[in-house]
């Protein structure tokens, strides 16, 4: 039972230690690049640009469309009017009426002339009447058949079409659109590069800020211990009658200031770690430990600031994006011009309909193939195209001016970053020397105070100088690190390995 309890206590004491996450600068960069939302949005924009380029490329290929429809109409279309329909329906009756009247007149004339008798005329009239009735009926039937043959029966119409379109010449619009899609994809890639460098720059600043505050927190603890020890020594001397109470109060003020400084540094360290966690995409309340925060020296090396401005001009993603904008604007001019140039396309397909008119009006499906060429030539547009082209050219000129201005600013930025690196190098050298002198000064002050040849104010001044020298040394190391990062960002080489 004791062994089990000991094991549980051992595991419980080890849990908080294992929960601590140790992060290096590279791991912070990797976390930030993986979890940064704006960077992920830029990657999605690149996917959009890539798929858009593939979609625009299909405009070179023929397009095949299929369409079908059904239409119900309340009335059918008629090729004959009502008078024509009535005439065809009574074709035999009208003809018989005309022939009957003429036949009666002829037979009456023959009877009067004595050619035929009344009995013969009556028999002949009856024969003609029977013949005319049968002929009229037959002709009426033929007329109705003709009328029915002209019926369209279009109250229910079914159609289906398969169409093929192949662009032949579109005024250069397809070529310009494809080039614009390619440039847009490059623009999205350069935007990712810019977002990557900006993310790394931000994470480096946050990382070294935490390291700086951690170093200052350790320095504040050392300074507090130093002042507290000195305060204890002074109190002992007050009891011995060597020092006055005023000396003790003066030292206590320094102790209170040291405690307040330590509290401020601790609060700043907590906030800085929360900000770093937010940039890395991890919970802000998670306990983290940085790889460089416990080091006695930050390893800031003095460098020679050699640089090539042409490297910045070729590497900076901002300049590449501006150049992409210029290229897009130039292609947009070609795209606008293409709208006002002749366009040629080949057409083809198969059309199916019911009813169809391929062999009269038939209530069944019938279809036919068709091919052709479509030509569109703009004739007069009131100079609309010229105005649009002039506007696009003005936009191109503005983009070129912005690129020139950006080059000048980047040139100045690179020079300023290089000067800052030089200044940071000098400040680090000077702060190192000052720290050595401050430590020696504090040692001499403590020794002189213990020998009774120095006053308390001189010791306090030496302690303050010692703290300031250490603070300046930490600030100089951090500043050199950040200036080197700024120079890399100005040259466009920051984050090239990611």
């Amino acid at each position: 039972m004791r062994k089990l309890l000991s094991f549980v206590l051992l595991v419980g004491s080890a849990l908080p230690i294992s929960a601590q996450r140790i992060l290096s600068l590279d791991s912070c960069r990797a976390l930030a690049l993986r979890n940064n939302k704006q960077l992920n949005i830029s990657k999605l924009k690149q996917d959009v640009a890539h798929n858009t380029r593939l979609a625009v490329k299909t405009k070179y290929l023929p397009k095949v469309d299929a369409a079908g429809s059904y239409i119900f109409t309340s009335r059918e279309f008629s090729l004959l009017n009502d008078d024509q329909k009535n005439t065809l329906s009574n074709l035999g009756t009208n003809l018989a009426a005309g022939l009957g009247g003429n036949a009666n007149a002829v037979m009456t004339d023959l009877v009067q002339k004595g050619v035929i008798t009344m009995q013969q005329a009556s028999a002949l009239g009856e024969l003609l009447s029977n013949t005319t009735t049968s002929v009229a009926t037959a002709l009426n039937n033929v007329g109705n058949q003709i009328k029915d043959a002209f019926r369209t029966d279009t109250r229910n119409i079914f159609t289906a079409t398969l169409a093929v379109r192949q662009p032949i010449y579109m005024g250069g619009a397809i070529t310009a659109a494809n080039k614009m899609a390619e440039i847009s994809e490059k623009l999205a890639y350069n935007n990712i590069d810019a977002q990557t460098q900006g993310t790394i720059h931000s994470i480096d600043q946050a990382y070294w800020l935490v390291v700086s505050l951690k170093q200052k927190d350790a320095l504040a603890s050392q300074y507090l211990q130093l002042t507290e020890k000195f305060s204890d020594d002074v109190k002992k001397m007050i009891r011995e009658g060597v020092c006055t109470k005023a000396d003790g109060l003066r030292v206590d003020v320094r102790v209170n200031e040291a405690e307040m400084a330590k509290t401020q540094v601790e609060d700043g360290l907590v906030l800085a770690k929360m900000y770093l966690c937010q940039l890395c995409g991890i919970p802000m309340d998670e306990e983290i430990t940085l790889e460089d925060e416990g080091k006695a020296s930050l390893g800031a090396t003095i460098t020679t600031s050699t640089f090539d401005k042409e490297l910045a001009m070729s590497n900076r993603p901002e300049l590449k994006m501006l150049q992409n904008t210029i290229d897009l604007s130039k292609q947009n001019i070609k795209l606008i011009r293409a709208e006002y140039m002749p366009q040629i396309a080949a057409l083809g397909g198969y059309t199916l309909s019911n009813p169809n008119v391929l062999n009269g009006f038939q209530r069944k499906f019938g279809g036919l193939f068709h091919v052709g060429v479509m030509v569109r030539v703009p004739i007069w547009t009131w100079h609309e195209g010229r105005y649009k082209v002039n506007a696009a050219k003005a936009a191109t000129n503005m983009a070129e001016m912005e690129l020139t201005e950006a080059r000048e600013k980047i040139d100045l930025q690179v020079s300023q970053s290089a000067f800052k690196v030089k200044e940071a190098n000098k400040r680090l050298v000077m702060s190192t020397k000052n720290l050595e002198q401050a430590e020696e000064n504090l040692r001499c002050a403590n020794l002189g105070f213990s020998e009774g040849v120095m006053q308390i104010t001189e010791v306090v001044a030496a302690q303050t100088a010692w703290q300031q020298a250490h603070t300046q040394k930490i600030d100089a190391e951090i500043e050199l690190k950040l200036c080197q990062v700024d120079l890399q960002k100005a040259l466009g080489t920051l984050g090239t390995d990611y």
Side-chain angles (χ1 to χ4, degrees):
M1 187 65 182
R2 290 181 179 178
K3 292 182 178 179
L4 179 59
L5 182 59
S6 301
F7 176 77
V8 172
L9 292 175
L10 179 61
V11 173
S13 62
L15 281 177
I17 299 176
S18 60
Q20 282 276 347
R21 177 183 288 194
I22 300 176
L23 298 176
S24 64
L25 180 60
D26 289 336
S27 61
C28 287
R29 286 180 173 183
L31 285 171
L33 293 177
R34 184 170 67 246
N35 298 321
N36 186 272
K37 293 181 177 58
Q38 291 299 322
L39 184 58
N40 290 331
I41 291 174
S42 298
K43 291 179 180 179
L44 292 176
K45 288 182 179 179
Q46 185 187 17
D47 292 338
V48 171
H50 175 70
N51 287 286
T52 302
R53 180 179 64 83
L54 296 178
V56 173
K57 195 175 264 188
T58 61
K59 292 185 178 294
Y60 287 112
L61 305 175
K63 299 294 188 299
V64 181
D65 299 323
S69 65
Y70 166 75
I71 300 175
F72 172 77
T73 59
S74 60
R75 298 177 60 185
E76 68 178 35
F77 300 113
S78 178
L79 299 178
L80 302 176
N81 57 36
D82 292 338
D83 292 337
Q84 291 171 337
K85 291 178 182 179
N86 185 51
T87 300
L88 288 173
S89 297
N90 299 289
L91 179 63
T93 302
N94 295 333
L95 182 60
L99 292 176
N102 293 332
N104 290 333
V106 171
M107 286 188 290
T108 301
D109 185 58
L110 291 176
V111 170
Q112 291 176 355
K113 291 179 179 180
V115 178
I116 59 175
T117 65
M118 289 294 296
Q119 291 79 7
Q120 292 174 339
S122 177
L124 184 60
E126 184 178 358
L127 177 63
L128 289 174
S129 176
N130 293 333
T131 303
T132 302
T133 300
S134 61
V135 171
T137 302
L139 290 176
N140 285 340
N141 292 333
V142 171
N144 286 325
Q145 291 177 358
I146 295 173
K147 183 186 71 173
D148 292 338
F150 276 95
R151 284 194 61 186
T152 60
D153 194 11
T154 54
R155 287 176 298 177
N156 295 281
I157 303 174
F158 300 88
T159 60
T161 303
L162 184 68
V164 180
R165 294 173 286 110
Q166 173 61 54
I168 298 176
Y169 177 73
M170 306 303 290
I174 297 179
T175 302
N178 274 271
K179 290 183 178 179
M180 290 179 71
E182 293 176 359
I183 296 170
S184 297
E185 188 174 6
K186 293 178 182 178
L187 179 62
Y189 175 79
N190 292 328
N191 186 33
I192 291 177
D193 192 11
Q195 290 282 350
T196 299
Q197 294 197 23
T199 302
I200 292 176
H201 185 260
S202 298
I203 205 70
D204 282 15
Q205 288 183 326
Y207 181 89
W208 292 116
L209 176 61
V210 173
V211 172
S212 172
L213 290 174
K214 187 64 178 179
Q215 295 280 349
K216 290 181 180 180
D217 182 52
L219 175 62
S221 298
Q222 293 178 8
Y223 181 67
L224 180 59
Q225 292 175 1
L226 185 64
T227 55
E228 287 176 345
K229 182 179 180 302
F230 186 61
S231 178
D232 291 338
D233 293 340
V234 171
K235 289 178 181 179
K236 292 178 183 179
M237 298 178 72
I238 292 174
R239 288 194 295 269
E240 295 294 332
V242 179
C243 294
T244 64
K245 289 183 179 181
D247 294 331
L249 293 174
R250 190 179 296 112
V251 175
D252 290 339
V253 170
R254 291 295 181 179
V255 173
N256 293 334
E257 291 177 352
E259 290 177 350
M260 180 60 67
K262 180 171 174 57
T263 302
Q264 292 176 347
V265 171
E266 289 175 349
D267 293 341
L269 180 60
V270 172
L271 293 175
K273 283 191 175 183
M274 292 176 65
Y275 177 63
L276 180 62
C277 290
Q278 190 270 332
L279 290 179
C280 292
I282 59 180
M284 289 190 291
D285 57 349
E286 183 173 344
E287 293 292 333
I288 61 173
T289 301
L290 301 187
E291 191 179 63
D292 295 310
E293 69 179 29
K295 295 181 179 179
S297 176
L298 299 181
T301 56
I302 298 176
T303 57
T304 304
S305 57
T306 57
F307 58 91
D308 183 8
K309 290 185 179 180
E310 293 300 324
L311 180 64
M313 300 303 168
S314 60
N315 287 342
R316 287 293 292 266
E318 294 88 349
L319 296 180
K320 294 179 181 179
M321 293 172 66
L322 288 173
Q323 184 61 51
N324 294 147
T325 304
I326 294 173
D327 296 338
L328 279 173
S329 184
K330 290 180 179 179
Q331 294 300 324
N332 186 44
I333 295 174
K334 296 180 180 180
L335 192 63
I336 293 173
R337 283 175 176 166
E339 295 180 6
Y340 303 93
M341 296 182 69
Q343 297 179 356
I344 304 173
L347 304 175
Y350 183 79
T351 301
L352 192 68
S353 67
N354 181 5
N356 69 85
V357 292
L358 300 177
N359 187 19
F361 280 92
Q362 296 179 326
R363 285 300 306 175
K364 63 180 182 179
F365 284 97
L368 51 85
F369 289 96
H370 56 85
V371 294
V373 178
M374 182 191 73
V375 180
R376 186 184 74 88
V377 181
I379 297 177
W380 183 252
T381 59
W382 301 100
H383 304 294
E384 179 186 12
R386 186 177 68 182
Y387 299 146
K388 288 185 176 181
V389 168
N390 291 338
K393 286 182 177 179
T396 303
N397 293 334
M398 288 189 294
E400 290 175 346
M401 291 180 183
E402 290 178 357
L403 177 59
T404 302
E405 184 181 12
R407 287 180 179 274
E408 295 173 354
K409 290 182 177 179
I410 287 177
D411 190 353
L412 179 61
Q413 185 182 17
V414 171
S415 300
Q416 289 176 341
S417 299
F419 287 139
K420 287 182 179 180
V421 170
K422 292 180 180 179
E423 292 176 359
N425 286 332
K426 293 179 181 178
R427 193 172 290 111
L428 180 58
V429 173
M430 294 174 60
S431 62
T432 303
K433 293 180 179 179
N434 291 337
L435 179 58
E436 294 175 356
Q437 295 174 358
E439 288 179 345
E440 179 63 20
N441 184 33
L442 179 60
R443 188 187 67 80
C444 294
N446 289 329
L447 182 60
F449 181 75
S450 62
E451 296 293 333
V453 297
M454 283 193 178
Q455 301 295 324
I456 290 177
T457 54
E458 295 175 329
V459 177
V460 171
Q463 291 175 348
T464 303
W466 176 85
Q467 182 202 22
Q468 292 177 350
H470 272 283
T471 302
Q472 291 174 358
K473 174 71 164 28
I474 294 172
D475 290 340
E477 289 180 329
I478 295 297
E479 185 179 2
L480 180 57
K481 289 280 188 181
L482 295 179
C483 287
Q484 290 172 349
V485 172
D486 290 341
L487 181 59
Q488 289 179 352
K489 186 175 185 298
L491 293 173
T493 58
L494 184 62
T496 55
D497 298 334
Y498 292 88

